[in-house]
Amino acid sequence: MLLNLKDKIAYKYRSPADDVASDFIVPCLNESIHYYRSVGFFRGASLKLFLDGLLVFLKKDSSKIRILTSVYMSDEDVEEIKKGLKNQKDVTDAELSKEIEKLAQSEDKVLISTLSWLISKGKLEIRIGDMKLASHAIFHDNS
């Protein structure tokens, strides 16, 4: 439970001065089953920064990552998303947990942090913020 972290995480973080991935995201993933993020720019490669937290997070039943971002994505990420959507299949939590455990012990554990793998396993949803009504604007959550 996130309340377990109240004395272990800072009130605020300023990157690049702080290691937000290790000091905040990984501990939170270790205690969570949902990771919802709203960002103006998203790169799939950023998931590798908190791979250790992902390994713990994804083993939990019903764990899910949801990302809301702008339309500005790399061609590589768009292809990864398409590949993941094309390869989606229903997998039980038990089957997925076994697969994650096997991958975690191998050199291929970085596979867990790829967009296509996460999407194909039903662990990641990506939504695009549409800013058609605003001129010269991108989606960016300022809250």
Side-chain angles (χ1 to χ4, degrees):
M1 179 178 275
L2 290 176
L3 290 176
N4 298 337
L5 297 176
K6 73 177 191 173
D7 296 327
K8 297 176 184 167
I9 58 176
Y11 174 71
K12 66 180 177 178
Y13 294 88
R14 294 253 184 231
S15 56
D18 297 311
D19 186 351
V20 178
S22 295
D23 297 340
F24 180 71
I25 296 175
V26 169
C28 289
L29 286 174
N30 289 340
E31 299 292 329
S32 303
I33 60 167
H34 297 118
Y35 176 45
Y36 299 163
R37 184 151 188 198
S38 176
V39 293
F41 296 96
F42 174 74
R43 288 278 308 176
S46 67
L47 297 172
K48 291 180 182 83
L49 297 173
F50 41 92
L51 179 60
D52 292 338
L54 277 177
L55 289 169
V56 173
F57 176 82
L58 294 170
K59 289 179 190 176
K60 298 174 193 163
D61 292 349
S62 305
S63 60
K64 185 84 160 193
I65 301 168
R66 289 188 174 123
I67 297 179
L68 176 62
T69 188
S70 71
V71 297
Y72 298 101
M73 301 182 95
S74 72
D75 292 341
E76 179 183 334
D77 284 347
V78 170
E79 289 305 312
E80 280 284 308
I81 292 167
K82 287 179 184 177
K83 181 178 166 187
L85 290 170
K86 180 180 166 192
N87 294 321
Q88 273 185 324
K89 50 188 120 169
D90 290 332
V91 179
T92 67
D93 285 328
E95 291 170 328
L96 187 58
S97 186
K98 285 180 186 176
E99 185 175 344
I100 291 167
E101 194 60 46
K102 185 177 173 184
L103 283 168
Q105 303 303 322
S106 76
E107 292 296 315
D108 294 331
K109 71 180 179 182
V110 75
L111 173 68
I112 290 171
S113 66
T114 62
L115 294 176
S116 60
W117 190 89
L118 289 165
I119 292 169
S120 72
K121 303 302 181 190
K123 291 294 186 177
L124 172 65
E125 286 181 16
I126 296 181
R127 303 284 173 111
I128 307 298
D130 187 358
M131 297 299 296
K132 287 181 184 174
L133 298 176
S135 63
H136 299 85
I138 66 163
F139 169 79
H140 195 285
D141 182 19
N142 290 321
S143 58

